[in-house]
Amino acid sequence: MTNAVLKVSASISEGNGNAAPVTHSVPAFTSSKVQWHTISVFVGDESGIINRIAGVFARRGYNIESLAVEDISKEPQVERELMLIKLNVDPSTRPEIMWLVDIFRGKVVDTSEHTLTIEVTGDPGKMAAVLRNLSKFRIKELSRTGKIALRRERMGETAPFWRFYAASYPDLESTQPGDVFSSNRANNFAGNSNGSTNGSTISSSKGDVYPVEPYDDYSVNQVLDAHWGVLYDDDSSGLRSHTLSMLVNDSPGVLNMVTGVISRRGYNIQSLAVGPAEREGLSRITTVIPGTDESIGKLVLHLHKLIDMHEVRDITHMPFAERELMLIKIAVNTAARRDVLDIASIFRAKAVDVSDHTITLELTGDLNKMAALQRLLEPFGICEVARTGRVALVRESGVDSAYLRGYPLPL
Amino acid sequence: MAAAATSAATTIPKPSAHLSSSSRSSISISRFTLPLSLNPQKTIPHRSLHISNAVSKPTTPAPSSSFSSSSSTSTTTRQESPPRFSPDEARKGADILVEALERQGVTDVFAYPGGASMEIHQALTRSPIIRNVLPRHEQGGVFAAEGYARASGKPGVCIATSGPGATNLVSGLADALLDSVPIVAITGQVPRRMIGTDAFQETPIVEVSRSITKHNYLVLDVDDIPRIVSEAFFLATSGRPGPVLIDVPKDIQQQLAVPNWNTPIKLPGYMSRLPKVPNDSHLEQIVRLIFESKKPVLYVGGGCLNSSEELRKFVELTGIPVASTLMGLGAFPVGHELSLQMLGMHGTVYANYSVDKSDLLLAFGVRFDDRVTGKLEAFASRAKIVHIDIDSAEIGKNKQPHVSVCADVNFALQGMNKILESRNAKSKLDFRAWREELNEQKSKYPLKYKTFGHAIPPQYAIQVLDELTNGNAIISTGVGQHQMWAAQFYKYKRPRQWLTSGGLGAMGFGLPAAVGAAVANPGAVVVDIDGDGSFIMNVQELATIRVENLPIKIMLLNNQHLGMVMQWEDRFYKANRAHTYLGDPSRESEIFPNMLKFAEACGIPAARVTRKEDLRMAIQNMLDTPGPYLLDVIVPHQEHVLPMIPSGGLLKM
């Protein structure tokens, strides 16, 4: 891994549905001129897919940082990355930090006596500048999503998208290649349901090679909800989304190893974000996995067995700040643009690219906010969505509004 | 780490092996004697023959008078081998790799050459310390390395080339992971520039083996070799042992470099999680539970193989009966009156009875495998469970313990023995009533078998072997009925005497594992109890045995069937034979294949025995014949392994 370290950020956008082929491959492992290539891959929402993709990179010795269907490095593009930084502060340095936060248009998400957690979005260059400026205050923890990117639209083009809405473009023929994707899902279910062709023999004889019950009462918790799928409160079985924060060595194959353990043991990844951590040579992986406290506890033990793993923490039951970044491209003609911008301003989303047939917005926030915005923009026609996984840091303040919900506070 | 260190007691010093091997190689394979390091100058012209492009400048001849401080430690015992390179002399990556192995104390490797590992083999010929036992299949190599490790406790090393060589290691790696056997597998890889191009004989073995190794490495810098090799050996032997794979691209094997042997290992996360010495208060708690219990039973497994002394002391102090898993056989002598032998699906009735009726289950170094527990809810349902294991992920994985300690069983037993002694447990603890209850079961349901006329019951063959070897032989097996019989009827006296593929259940394990055991224990009696199906899966290793003249006895229990599957067919599929007959269907009266001819092809003496009366003589003859021997014991296929608790079933049979 001496030369070509390909920075690819692993952010899986679940909202966008199913697998599509990667069109451009990465350049060979030869030149000493290292370039960062952004490759978008849209993937099917099934257990193990992330691992397979990560495997392709790791096998060739590349280091991963953004998984979304075309090599768009050479095209004009919107690049954004999200970073949560926890800093040590004391009264003397606080004003300067606040000033810097202001300059970089960051937001404070949590504050306590000695620490400050801030959220910054921007392109990789800005991230580097932020880090350089803040490094003197001693960065305590750092969680990054890695970069996501959407292509900038040229003026006067028609939409090349694979999921446009006919309503937005009545002038275009509806040639939706979306059918390909739906068949994939059907397969998925077929794969689960068969396997008990010999069920009668097994149940009557009581003598299968493995001591398991027949398949009927065995339900696999596949994807919870293909779109958002997060369970904040546990349901009756104790199932809920757990947020794990891990520190790993930054070497090729680590992501694959981590996702391998998760998929091999039958867990499903809802969200995954990888980025450099506060220390050189370490990466922080933030991932969201549904499970019960017990099953996630076992997963943590198995993750601990990885040699390249430094630390795993299940921060679900601690107050933590979580943020996610979304770039969303909406098909709107100039006529409807005003409406979209109105909605955007309510959500404090920023317009980052505009053409005569689309507009691209950038939004940070927690998952519910993403979902709400996307739902509102749906009628206009969403062309593309790129989301980072969630990044999360424990709140030093110890306060999380989610925990206050049960209390009779005046609202 | 401690696990590996304590086990050295069973091994026999190596020098004799070396003498024999070096003398043999000088006779038979003259081509390989040339680059042996007796005369360092000679290596130079030889090496220039196969330089391709990486090496441009000729290396200066080794002065050989100067000692490098570290290599002198490894060569002090052998004055005829001066260091091959001066400390600051650049050498090939392959030579660095081989020297790194020497520094880990490796004396034997199981390596099969190929395009991408030639350099390593060339370097091996320059090593005066390491002997290569050439297997005839990479799978044989990795199983032999496992046999070596299982029989000696030291890490086994196997080497294969890229592509098919590497993929042939897969079964062995998976086997070593499931049975926690320390092995280090080294594979050649295509040159770095060609990685990812689907080059000739390229497989991404690091990817392939990721989920079946404890850890693996792709070497991308020649300077990393010393660190990676020492990390690999440390990982393989420390904590819960397991297989580690090192993938070395060919251009790195050829690259010249000066090794820095002082690079420290970098495993901060792993080191911080290595199990600590057990907490005394937990051990006190366990002892208290023992004092409170009326029907305690020990359930010991492969984790106890390095602590048989402490285990025996613990049993003496407490008088608790011992049931063993398949992997744990020998950790406590099977013939001991407190031994309940094996438990689980094919375990003894009394062992399973004891677990079922117990009120305290002391699970030491075990993982509650489904072959042992059957239905989890019904397993030890009346008992409090104490679980001690070195791997924290095992604790509570299948069965929730009441008290658990994550530690090396050896330390835990030491601590508990100390507490028990201080409490004067021996005179206070009294489990006589419980032992009598079990003894009654023992006499009511002993291990037994039926006899059909003159036919040889396979169980009887193993009993006779046990008698004639006085229970002292190292036994390896394949997988299937014969494996279970060998587990039931041979009375193992000490750990590392029983080599079997437990977790993975890989057929073809027996013969190569015996090779490894014989290499690790020259002079010991090694018997491969094999089935006809398993034997033929790695039959090519007969050639290895002959060439290395390893005194391995093969006792083949030949029933012409894939016995264990056949047994299941008999019980659950109305005896419908679904491709489980391994003979020739057109000539069922004859034995097919003729195993004796396999032996003959490799120059190994062999005999067949079909009548019960002739068996004892035949086995005695096998043991008396010096060198390898194949005894084809024809047994009836109607035999079933009993007792048997089908999965999901309960104890009641």
Side-chain angles (χ1 to χ4, degrees):
Chain A
M1 67 159 275
T2 46
N3 43 11
V5 176
L6 189 81
K7 290 282 185 179
V8 186
S9 61
S11 41
I12 301 302
S13 51
E14 276 176 271
N16 266 326
N18 283 308
V22 183
T23 51
H24 279 256
S25 66
V26 282
F29 193 78
T30 48
S31 70
S32 56
K33 276 191 268 171
V34 183
Q35 283 185 312
W36 289 11
H37 288 253
T38 306
I39 304 161
S40 302
V41 186
F42 291 104
V43 297
D45 198 356
E46 53 185 287
S47 171
I49 189 79
I50 299 172
N51 186 31
R52 267 178 271 158
I53 291 169
V56 171
F57 288 98
R59 192 180 308 149
R60 315 263 141 137
Y62 298 108
N63 203 3
I64 296 193
E65 201 177 314
S66 165
L67 305 189
V69 189
E70 48 204 323
D71 187 343
I72 51 178
S73 356
K74 300 235 163 54
E75 305 259 356
Q77 52 180 313
V78 181
E79 297 178 333
R80 285 294 183 273
E81 186 172 346
L82 170 70
M83 180 160 70
L84 285 178
I85 313 166
K86 196 187 283 179
L87 285 169
N88 287 308
V89 290
D90 54 55
S92 62
T93 56
R94 195 179 283 265
E96 194 184 347
I97 292 174
M98 291 310 295
W99 180 65
L100 281 170
V101 168
D102 213 35
I103 287 178
F104 288 109
R105 274 165 288 160
K107 288 181 208 156
V108 175
V109 294
D110 183 61
T111 175
S112 71
E113 202 175 336
H114 299 293
T115 63
L116 194 63
T117 308
I118 55 179
E119 164 206 317
V120 189
T121 34
D123 56 16
K126 181 176 166 188
M127 294 296 136
V130 170
L131 281 181
R132 195 167 309 139
N133 279 289
L134 292 177
S135 58
K136 62 179 171 193
F137 303 111
R138 282 204 295 131
I139 296 173
K140 209 172 157 206
E141 262 180 89
L142 177 69
S143 189
R144 289 171 73 166
T145 59
K147 189 175 70 176
I148 54 169
L150 285 186
R151 197 172 66 174
R152 287 190 190 272
E153 284 304 314
R154 292 197 192 89
M155 298 296 279
E157 268 189 351
T158 46
F161 316 120
W162 43 273
R163 228 175 71 166
F164 62 85
Y165 282 70
S168 307
Y169 294 96
D171 48 327
L172 286 180
E173 279 299 312
S174 58
T175 49
Q176 294 200 21
D179 323 26
V180 187
F181 307 120
S182 55
S183 67
N184 198 0
R185 172 139 313 169
N187 280 339
N188 218 352
F189 281 107
N192 285 333
S193 58
N194 65 20
S196 60
T197 47
N198 230 354
S200 57
T201 1
I202 292 165
S203 54
S204 64
S205 65
K206 269 274 171 201
D208 188 42
V209 179
Y210 298 98
V212 289
E213 301 297 324
Y215 287 79
D216 327 334
D217 55 348
Y218 182 66
S219 67
V220 185
N221 246 309
Q222 271 285 347
V223 186
L224 295 170
D225 167 357
H227 265 253
W228 302 100
V230 168
L231 291 170
Y232 279 103
D233 304 304
D234 28 347
D235 60 6
S236 56
S237 61
L239 194 76
R240 61 174 293 173
S241 292
H242 284 250
T243 307
L244 301 185
S245 173
M246 310 171 217
L247 268 183
V248 297
N249 281 341
D250 181 15
S251 59
V254 169
L255 178 61
N256 189 23
M257 237 181 307
V258 170
T259 55
V261 169
I262 295 170
S263 63
R264 189 157 71 238
R265 303 274 172 189
Y267 298 86
N268 190 31
I269 297 175
Q270 287 185 316
S271 162
L272 180 70
V274 191
E278 58 273 11
R279 264 201 290 150
E280 188 91 351
L282 291 185
S283 292
R284 186 178 293 279
I285 300 180
T286 314
T287 178
V288 180
I289 299 166
T292 59
D293 282 351
E294 193 200 347
S295 68
I296 299 293
K298 284 180 188 172
L299 176 65
V300 168
L301 287 175
H302 284 297
L303 287 170
H304 264 143
K305 288 173 77 167
L306 295 176
I307 309 298
D308 283 322
M309 178 68 68
H310 284 253
E311 175 191 298
V312 192
R313 278 194 301 164
D314 182 356
I315 58 175
T316 313
H317 297 294
M318 295 180 220
F320 63 92
E322 62 169 350
R323 284 292 181 274
E324 184 166 350
L325 171 67
M326 173 163 75
L327 291 177
I328 183 166
K329 193 185 283 177
I330 305 122
V332 280
N333 296 338
T334 40
R337 191 183 291 152
R338 192 62 252 166
D339 301 344
V340 171
L341 285 174
D342 281 348
I343 295 172
S345 69
I346 293 169
F347 284 89
R348 273 167 286 170
K350 279 184 276 185
V352 290
D353 181 61
V354 66
S355 71
D356 55 355
H357 57 283
T358 62
I359 185 165
T360 306
L361 299 175
E362 169 201 318
L363 177 72
T364 47
D366 67 3
L367 194 90
N368 292 328
K369 194 173 164 189
M370 308 273 138
L373 178 68
Q374 195 172 332
R375 213 165 286 139
L376 279 173
L377 292 175
E378 201 100 327
F380 294 96
I382 294 169
C383 306
E384 277 182 275
V385 176
R387 278 163 57 190
T388 66
R390 264 152 276 175
V391 287
L393 290 180
V394 172
R395 287 182 190 270
E396 297 295 318
S397 58
V399 178
D400 191 338
S401 52
Y403 290 98
L404 301 175
R405 258 172 225 161
Y407 295 99
L409 295 174
L411 290 174
Chain B
M1 192 168 57
T6 49
S7 64
T10 56
T11 58
I12 291 162
K14 289 284 138 42
S16 58
H18 284 301
L19 288 176
S20 65
S21 78
S22 58
S23 64
R24 188 168 45 254
S25 65
S26 62
I27 302 162
S28 54
I29 326 167
S30 58
R31 168 167 75 86
F32 280 141
T33 57
L34 219 174
L36 272 178
S37 62
L38 295 169
N39 189 353
Q41 269 88 355
K42 273 210 175 135
T43 60
I44 286 51
H46 182 79
R47 196 188 301 166
S48 63
L49 284 175
H50 57 94
I51 285 172
S52 50
N53 54 2
V55 186
S56 51
K57 65 177 170 68
T59 52
T60 50
S64 81
S65 54
S66 62
F67 289 90
S68 71
S69 62
S70 39
S71 69
S72 62
T73 55
S74 59
T75 53
T76 39
T77 51
R78 307 174 55 82
Q79 60 273 55
E80 79 265 46
S81 61
R84 281 156 280 166
F85 305 95
S86 65
D88 54 350
E89 185 191 354
R91 67 211 70 175
K92 288 187 174 185
D95 284 299
I96 300 174
L97 179 68
V98 169
E99 193 180 338
L101 294 178
E102 288 171 4
R103 284 163 180 270
Q104 294 295 330
V106 174
T107 52
D108 306 275
V109 298
F110 303 89
Y112 197 90
S117 66
M118 287 170 65
E119 287 287 346
I120 301 173
H121 283 262
Q122 291 297 323
L124 281 172
T125 62
R126 289 172 217 132
S127 167
I129 297 167
I130 298 180
R131 157 199 187 190
N132 181 32
V133 175
L134 178 71
R136 262 44 178 190
H137 188 300
E138 286 91 352
Q139 188 180 81
V142 66
F143 281 158
E146 268 199 85
Y148 183 93
R150 287 173 195 251
S152 69
K154 295 191 301 180
V157 179
C158 63
I159 303 174
T161 185
S162 63
T167 52
N168 280 339
L169 298 180
V170 164
S171 300
L173 294 172
D175 189 61
L177 185 71
L178 280 172
D179 287 349
S180 308
V181 179
I183 60 171
V184 174
I186 296 168
T187 50
Q189 181 56 279
V190 300
R192 273 174 296 175
R193 269 165 190 264
M194 301 190 72
I195 291 178
T197 64
D198 302 324
F200 176 63
Q201 293 197 327
E202 182 192 353
T203 50
I205 193 63
V206 167
E207 289 302 308
V208 171
S209 66
R210 183 156 283 150
S211 46
I212 49 167
T213 50
K214 186 171 174 185
H215 195 49
N216 56 25
Y217 293 94
L218 173 63
V219 181
L220 286 173
D221 185 346
V222 67
D223 295 328
D224 285 342
I225 292 177
R227 174 181 62 85
I228 286 178
V229 171
S230 45
E231 282 183 9
F233 276 83
F234 180 74
L235 288 172
T237 51
S238 60
R240 181 178 180 175
V244 179
L245 180 132
I246 307 175
D247 199 19
V248 191
K250 184 159 186 182
D251 58 331
I252 285 183
Q253 298 171 28
Q254 292 167 330
Q255 196 179 338
L256 293 178
V258 179
N260 174 11
W261 298 111
N262 297 321
T263 37
I265 59 176
K266 281 193 289 191
L267 300 166
Y270 177 80
M271 300 294 265
S272 67
R273 288 191 296 271
L274 275 182
K276 316 278 182 303
V277 176
N279 192 332
D280 272 342
S281 65
H282 288 136
L283 301 180
E284 292 267 1
Q285 207 178 341
I286 298 172
V287 171
R288 198 164 61 237
L289 283 175
I290 294 173
F291 273 94
E292 285 166 8
S293 68
K294 296 209 162 38
K295 298 178 168 186
V297 66
L298 271 157
Y299 159 34
V300 302
C304 296
L305 289 182
N306 289 328
S307 34
S308 65
E309 284 304 307
E310 293 295 332
L311 179 65
R312 199 178 307 192
K313 200 166 155 196
F314 180 83
V315 175
E316 270 167 25
L317 286 169
T318 56
I320 299 176
V322 186
S324 168
T325 67
L326 182 71
M327 291 304 298
L329 286 174
F332 186 76
V334 173
H336 194 283
E337 60 164 336
L338 282 175
S339 168
L340 301 170
Q341 305 200 27
M342 186 169 74
L343 81 169
M345 183 183 279
H346 292 297
T348 59
V349 173
Y350 35 97
N352 288 322
Y353 174 93
S354 73
V355 173
D356 188 45
K357 293 282 184 281
S358 71
D359 61 355
L360 176 65
L361 183 72
L362 301 166
F364 293 173
V366 293
R367 60 186 181 96
F368 292 85
D369 181 60
D370 59 67
R371 299 297 92 170
V372 165
T373 60
K375 208 179 213 144
L376 272 172
E377 301 80 43
F379 181 73
S381 51
R382 296 163 234 265
K384 286 202 169 92
I385 295 176
V386 174
H387 193 178
I388 303 181
D389 200 273
I390 200 160
D391 181 358
S392 60
E394 287 300 337
I395 291 169
K397 185 179 81 174
N398 293 336
K399 193 91 181 164
Q400 202 58 46
H402 296 78
V403 180
S404 65
V405 177
C406 177
D408 189 330
V409 174
N410 203 26
F411 295 134
L413 281 169
Q414 271 172 13
M416 284 189 288
N417 285 342
K418 216 172 281 168
I419 297 169
L420 287 166
E421 271 169 346
S422 69
R423 300 248 182 109
N424 205 4
K426 204 166 182 174
S427 55
K428 283 191 201 149
L429 288 172
D430 179 19
F431 300 122
R432 219 173 308 158
W434 170 232
R435 284 203 298 267
E436 253 149 46
E437 185 181 341
L438 294 177
N439 281 337
E440 192 186 321
Q441 291 291 322
K442 267 189 188 180
S443 54
K444 225 156 117 191
Y445 304 104
L447 280 177
K448 58 179 185 225
Y449 52 89
K450 287 197 200 92
T451 312
F452 303 93
H454 290 294
I456 302 170
Q459 301 93 331
Y460 173 69
I462 293 166
Q463 270 181 335
V464 172
L465 180 73
D466 179 40
E467 265 172 56
L468 295 180
T469 56
N470 203 16
N472 276 319
I474 295 175
I475 304 288
S476 71
T477 70
V479 169
Q481 288 185 314
H482 69 277
Q483 177 191 27
M484 290 301 117
W485 287 320
Q488 292 174 336
F489 289 91
Y490 200 91
K491 303 282 175 271
Y492 303 93
K493 289 181 173 168
R494 42 171 216 279
R496 310 215 169 276
Q497 200 190 341
W498 163 243
L499 321 173
T500 197
S501 170
L504 188 67
M507 287 176 67
F509 179 81
L511 196 57
V515 170
V519 169
N521 299 286
V525 182
V526 180
V527 182
D528 170 30
I529 299 177
D530 225 326
D532 49 328
S534 288
F535 174 70
I536 214 164
M537 277 209 183
N538 271 320
V539 72
Q540 76 285 344
E541 298 308 320
L542 288 175
T544 312
I545 291 171
R546 177 73 277 165
V547 170
E548 298 288 334
N549 198 26
L550 299 168
I552 292 167
K553 317 296 179 193
I554 304 151
M555 189 168 92
L556 198 59
L557 301 177
N558 189 345
N559 65 0
Q560 297 279 289
H561 281 78
L562 192 59
M564 192 56 105
V565 179
M566 178 197 68
Q567 174 169 347
W568 282 79
E569 286 174 348
D570 285 351
R571 299 203 157 225
F572 305 111
Y573 297 87
K574 304 198 178 83
N576 178 31
R577 293 281 167 268
H579 318 124
T580 47
Y581 178 61
L582 299 177
D584 181 354
S586 57
R587 278 176 300 177
E588 286 200 20
S589 56
E590 286 172 35
I591 302 294
F592 176 88
N594 188 342
M595 302 293 186
L596 307 186
K597 296 270 191 210
F598 281 130
E600 193 192 323
C602 296
I604 292 174
R608 174 178 293 164
V609 56
T610 51
R611 286 157 54 91
K612 197 178 172 195
E613 303 87 271
D614 308 331
L615 180 69
R616 183 174 292 268
M617 198 60 191
I619 292 180
Q620 188 63 56
N621 200 15
M622 167 177 90
L623 295 170
D624 291 345
T625 311
Y629 192 92
L630 171 75
L631 182 63
D632 190 16
V633 183
I634 307 300
V635 299
H637 72 272
Q638 289 86 350
E639 290 286 346
H640 280 188
V641 181
L642 292 171
M644 170 175 178
I645 308 169
S647 297
L650 294 173
L651 175 71
K652 323 283 180 283
M653 269 287 295

